[in-house]
Structure formats: C-alpha cells, structure tokens
Amino acid sequence: MTQETVPVRTDDADPALAGRVRTALDAPDAGPLTVLEGGRSGLTYVLHDGGSGHVVKAVPPGRPARGRHDVLRQSHVLSALAGRGLPIPAVTARDEVAPAWFAMELAAGEAVEPVLDVATALAPDLARERMTRAARVLGALHAVPLDALAEGVRTAGGALPDPATPGDELLRWEETMHAVPLELRPGSEELLTALHADVPDPAAPVLVHGDFRLGNLLCAGVEPTALVDWEIWGVGDPRVDLGWFGVFTDGTLFPGVGRVVPGLPSEDELGELYRAAGGTQPQTPWFRALARMKMAAIMGHNLRRHREGRHHDPVQEQLPPTIAALIESARGLLDGAS
C-alpha cells in the first residue's frame, strides 16, 4: 500500500498529528487521537494503545513555540526528573519538527482542587491526606540537585533557565496585575508598594514548578501518581512554590467560587511536612502575600479576557469578590509582619 492510499482516520481530532504520533510510538493500531479536556498549555490530546495511554501536547499549527506553547520545554524537565522516585509521567516520544509535540504516559488518578472544584465531592479526610502527601512531594522536588537536573535537561535537548529572584517573581506578576483594569483590583497598588518595600534576599535556587497544587497532581486514592502542567517551570526561590501551594488551603480566600474544606492542613503545617521531606525553607508572610497577589492578578486577567470577548466564560463574572479578598488577605499578612 503506498503512502497516498493509506486511509485517513476521520475520528482523529488532528489526523496529521495523529499519524506522526502513531509512527513515533510504533502504534499503528492505536485508537483515535482525542482532545483531553482541561489541557491549557498548547494543544492537549489523549491516545489509547491497548492497555496503555499517552497524553500528547502539541504546539498549535502556525503559532510560535514560546511561553505556554513551548511544549518541548515541558518535556525536557519531565525527562530530567525520570528515575528520581517522584510522581512524574514518563516521556514516551518527542518530535521537534514543527509543529512540535511530545507524548507522555497517561497516569491513573484524578486531580481535584478541594477548595475550588466545588462540583466534585471529595471527602475532607481524603483531601487532607492528599494535601499532606503533596507537601512531601514538593519537598522532594526541591531537593533534586540542580547540577543533576541541568545535565538531565541538556540530555533531553534543553537548558536550565537563569534563576529567578523573589524580586523577579514580583515584577512578573506585577505586570500581569497591571494588565487588569484598576476597578477590578481594589487595593492592589498599595499591596504592590508594600511588597516592593521588603523584598527578601533569595534563597538557594531550586527547580520551581510554578503552579504546584492538588489541581495539578493526579492521585489514585491518596497516592500521588503524576505531577502535571509544567508550562511555567523554572529555577528560583523554593518559597515561591510553597507560598502558592498554601493559598489553596483556605477556602475563605475564594468567596463565591470556592468552599471551606474542614481539616485541610494549615500553611504552617504544610511547611513542616515540606521541610521533613527535603525542603529547607520556612514559610514567610512575604511569599504568602506574593502568592495571593499572583492569584488575584491571574483571576483579574482572566476576567478581563472574558469581558473583552477573547475567552467567553461567564463564570469569570463571579471573581471580583475573590480578587478583593486575596488582595486584602495579602495586605493583612504584610501588615502583621511589619
């Protein structure tokens, strides 16, 4: 049978990409390539091959492989972390030819954010156990030696970025905040001024996931199976990840869109579990406040995109009270520390 007469599968979400993936995986009889709901970095698909499955992340055709669309960058860090006892999905194939893509194993489990995924019933004791285990995962992640990580990333075809300082993180999310209309972020300018007034000295840099939380950690029962969504990983201060993770312990920060889950670990308890697993840094009010500012900026930006018609999502209209609560909580943390 010639190449021209090979039938095209009409049940593939992207027939051309599907053909490349099946060839690379040597899986000509694999099932259809279908869209995986919830994927946000590039295009995300799933393909089943017998008893196994693959998640495929691809650069959208015609789009530059930059930022969240640089899917190969995500594959490099996943490959570098293989074999370290962490819940990291294995990379099963990678193709740099444009539009680039990579495939990784489809892990068992579910990713549920207890305080935000209000439509998903998750028993409080299960939510607590998953969060305590996640804290240990974060400690082990930050304990990975940077020289070994750099070698692994190089072997996979990438390179470690320069370390980001706390000041760099502040400037990054301040830019996002400033893209939000002022009326949607009450008190944000005062908060940014307070954050700039007391930027901590950087700690020894580590691998930073950038969006570490239960919503990005698949679990089978209480067991973590796969840490996903690596689109903003970098090298930087470990307290950035720790502060961000802590935001998701408190449902009162999300009025109208979240819920209080009884029994979740406090931010202090998470910090203790984290350090016991290899993390070295304590929680501090500044990084907790930075994380709240970051969340407020992201939510404000999403609301702006909805109102401008760039991404229609009426749920975004519920966010103003949460944005205000996050900013107010951050200011309170800094005021209490001064």
Side-chain angles (χ1 to χ4, degrees), residues 27-59:
D29 298 323
L33 184 76
T34 57
V35 174
L36 180 64
E37 297 299 331
R40 292 180 177 84
S41 53
L43 301 173
T44 307
Y45 305 94
V46 64
L47 182 142
H48 291 279
D49 178 25
S52 62
H54 305 266
V55 174
V56 179
K57 286 184 171 283
V59 178

Side-chain angles (χ1 to χ4, degrees), residues 221-247:
V222 299
E223 190 66 30
T225 59
L227 179 58
V228 298
D229 283 0
W230 286 84
E231 63 184 79
I232 59 172
W233 75 270
V235 175
D237 195 301
R239 295 168 291 184
V240 169
D241 269 348
L242 189 58
W244 181 250
F245 186 27
V247 170

Side-chain angles (χ1 to χ4, degrees), residues 255-272:
V257 297
R259 63 182 170 192
V260 174
V261 179
L264 286 186
S266 68
E267 290 187 81
D268 287 335
E269 187 178 354
L270 283 184
E272 293 170 1

Side-chain angles (χ1 to χ4, degrees), residues 105-153:
E105 65 178 351
L106 175 65
E110 60 178 359
V112 177
E113 195 62 70
V115 301
L116 286 180
D117 292 340
V118 296
T120 303
L122 195 66
D125 57 343
L126 178 58
R128 175 182 173 81
E129 183 60 24
R130 286 185 181 181
M131 192 162 274
T132 59
R133 294 191 182 213
R136 298 186 183 104
V137 170
L138 183 59
L141 184 72
H142 287 174
V144 173
L146 272 190
D147 55 351
L149 180 74
E151 178 59 29
V153 169

Side-chain angles (χ1 to χ4, degrees), residues 73 146 149-150 153-154 158-169 172 202-209 232-238 240:
R73 180 177 180 274
L146 272 190
L149 180 74
V153 169
R154 281 195 297 271
L160 285 190
D162 293 333
T165 67
D168 294 332
E169 285 289 323
R172 176 183 187 178
V206 301
L207 169 64
V208 174
H209 180 274
I232 59 172
W233 75 270
V235 175
D237 195 301
V240 169

